[in-house]
Amino acid sequence: MTELSTNQDFIDLEDKVAAHNYSPLPVVVEHAEGIWVTDVEGRRYLDALSGYSALNFGHRHPALVKAAKDQLDKSTLTSRAFHNDQLGPFCAALGELVGKDMILPMNTGAEAVETALKIARKWGYLVKGVAHDRAEIIVMDGNFHGRTTTIISFSDDPEARDHYGPYTQGFVSVPYGDLAAIEAAIHENTVAVLVEPIQGEQGVKIPKEGFLPGLRELCTDTNVLLIADEIQAGLGRVGTTLACQYEGVEADIYTLGKALGGGIVPVSAVAADADVMSVITPGTHGSTFGGNPLAAAVGKAVCDLLATGEHQQNAATLEGQLRDSLEALIGHGVSEVRVRGLWAGVDIDPELMTGKAACKGLASKGVLAKDTHGSTIRLAPPLTITAEELTIITDALAEVIAEARQG
């Protein structure tokens, strides 16, 4: 193989041998630490995406790297055919962190959602008394919960859904944030409502204040489980441990992932109280790698970081600065911004440029971000970022927009 040295060398090779299921920016990361990454040509960038919140604590956080290295010297995988000394402490720490009795560990976020759907359906049959194979789950328009066949069956994104049928039945979709529509859709066979407290893939779409508390009350009154997908929104991103907690709401089931693996290993989990989780019994669900010692050790270290409240507080503290800086751009090339904690969706005027063009402009100024849905960009820097470093992101965006307006 010819020696690879430039960004383009690596991009050309990847284009030849790897499936084209992504369209990344032309940056090839070689080294990463904290909020910064460096490409193969030595250029440094501030990571304002954080791996879609998988890197909430930045790249190679010392405490997380130490937990992984220590565990690598002991054991990495046992399968759940045997016990291991890391699983119990991890589940206990995560349960305490999110206020739930029991944890079912998996690997990816999509697996966690699939598991939650199975739990809800089985609960519906065994506890609520829904007729066999009649269980129905309400989901939201514009949702994004993963890429499996079941999950894309209730997606309304044609890129994610088209040409993958036939699709899984048992789901009904209603407008996001519309409490009346959810109430109208609930009937005797409804077992759960699945909701993202904030829709990340939609460009950090935040429901109106009062929606989540109203949904909690509705689910309680109708004996329907509330499943909160906290995979992107949770674990400190919005300034609280869970996004539901921003309005004082407790879901029946949480799906967790991304940041739970500390950016080192894939770790996901379903969290619920025993009266719900008890429908899972030996042999009815499983995963070869779910709950493995390495993942559990890293996951517990993540829980320990969040238990201090430091990272949640930093996100809450910097929320105002991020909002003020972005709102100053409204009417000057930006049409709308949505901010919660250290998470922002920025709608660029589509007549000015696309979101992808804005992200390319940011990359040219040493900031990495991601576009979505045409003219929207998402900002989600690590929760370890400082106020001064946050200014680098917003100043760069202001420059990109000003240069585009000038022609």
Side-chain angles (χ1 to χ4, degrees):
M1 182 183 294
T2 305
E3 183 178 356
L4 307 176
S5 59
T6 68
N7 281 324
Q8 196 59 51
D9 289 340
F10 285 92
I11 292 169
D12 289 344
L13 176 61
E14 185 177 314
D15 282 346
K16 182 179 179 181
V17 299
H20 297 171
N21 56 324
Y22 282 91
S23 178
L25 293 174
V27 175
V28 181
V29 176
E30 180 181 52
H31 181 268
E33 187 167 2
I35 68 168
W36 300 96
V37 301
T38 306
D39 72 12
V40 294
E41 296 176 9
R43 181 159 190 199
R44 199 168 180 239
Y45 301 84
L46 194 161
D47 182 356
L49 180 62
S50 302
Y52 307 99
S53 291
L55 291 155
N56 275 4
F57 311 100
H59 296 268
R60 299 172 56 239
H61 188 288
L64 303 181
V65 170
K66 183 180 186 303
K69 286 183 174 179
D70 288 350
Q71 190 58 39
L72 282 169
D73 286 334
K74 295 191 291 184
S75 67
T76 57
L77 178 65
T78 60
S79 87
R80 293 296 302 280
F82 316 106
H83 297 284
N84 71 73
D85 66 341
Q86 299 299 312
L87 179 58
F90 164 56
C91 291
L94 182 56
E96 182 175 357
L97 184 71
V98 302
K100 290 299 180 186
D101 296 340
M102 304 186 78
I103 303 297
L104 199 167
M106 298 297 288
N107 307 285
T108 65
E111 286 178 282
V113 174
E114 287 271 4
T115 300
L117 298 176
K118 290 175 67 176
I119 291 171
R121 283 176 166 177
K122 194 169 186 181
W123 173 89
Y125 298 131
L126 299 184
V127 178
K128 187 173 180 177
V130 172
H132 182 64
D133 284 348
R134 300 294 297 274
E136 192 168 270
I137 295 173
I138 297 172
V139 298
M140 305 292 130
D141 294 350
N143 69 78
F144 182 84
H145 298 283
R147 302 280 189 180
T148 65
T149 302
T150 292
I151 291 172
I152 60 97
S153 293
F154 55 82
S155 170
D156 55 12
D157 179 355
E159 284 195 348
R161 191 176 195 273
D162 286 357
H163 311 299
Y164 293 120
Y167 302 107
T168 306
Q169 302 299 303
F171 302 95
V172 58
S173 190
V174 301
Y176 181 63
D178 189 335
L179 203 58
I182 297 172
E183 184 174 11
I186 291 176
H187 55 80
E188 69 274 9
N189 294 330
T190 305
V191 298
V193 175
L194 171 63
V195 65
E196 297 160 271
I198 297 173
Q199 289 189 328
E201 191 70 17
Q202 282 293 319
V204 192
K205 186 176 181 181
I206 303 170
K208 291 181 180 179
E209 184 176 353
F211 167 67
L212 289 175
L215 180 57
R216 172 66 278 173
E217 183 178 0
L218 177 61
C219 288
T220 299
D221 290 346
T222 56
N223 194 27
V224 167
L225 297 177
L226 174 56
I227 307 173
D229 182 341
E230 294 265 3
I231 291 166
Q232 270 199 77
L235 302 181
R237 173 54 56 189
V238 305
T240 49
T241 299
L242 298 171
C244 284
Q245 294 170 340
Y246 198 94
E247 290 193 77
V249 168
E250 180 180 355
D252 298 296
I253 300 175
Y254 296 114
T255 61
L256 303 160
K258 294 193 185 295
L260 197 57
I264 297 175
V265 288
V267 183
S268 68
V270 177
D273 283 333
D275 59 340
V276 173
M277 192 69 82
S278 62
V279 301
I280 296 296
T281 55
T284 60
H285 190 67
S287 166
T288 300
F289 279 84
N292 70 78
L294 180 59
V298 173
K300 183 179 182 302
V302 166
C303 293
D304 292 344
L305 288 177
L306 288 168
T308 69
E310 174 187 350
H311 296 87
Q312 297 93 314
Q313 184 58 53
N314 195 48
T317 298
L318 294 179
E319 179 180 323
Q321 175 186 333
L322 181 58
R323 179 181 289 106
D324 290 346
S325 298
L326 295 175
E327 286 184 347
L329 301 176
I330 295 177
H332 304 282
V334 169
S335 58
E336 183 180 339
V337 300
R338 297 165 296 281
V339 179
R340 183 63 60 85
L342 277 171
W343 205 12
V346 182
D347 295 341
I348 308 293
D349 181 349
E351 295 185 1
L352 183 66
M353 70 174 96
T354 65
K356 186 68 173 284
C359 288
K360 287 182 177 178
L362 283 170
S364 74
K365 298 182 183 299
V367 174
L368 300 181
K370 183 68 175 70
D371 61 291
T372 186
H373 292 279
S375 60
T376 299
I377 65 172
R378 289 171 286 177
L379 301 173
L383 307 183
T384 54
I385 198 169
T386 66
E388 293 75 20
E389 292 164 337
L390 188 60
T391 300
I392 296 173
I393 300 172
T394 52
D395 283 354
L397 180 59
E399 290 175 14
V400 168
I401 291 172
E403 289 170 5
R405 296 183 73 205
Q406 291 167 5

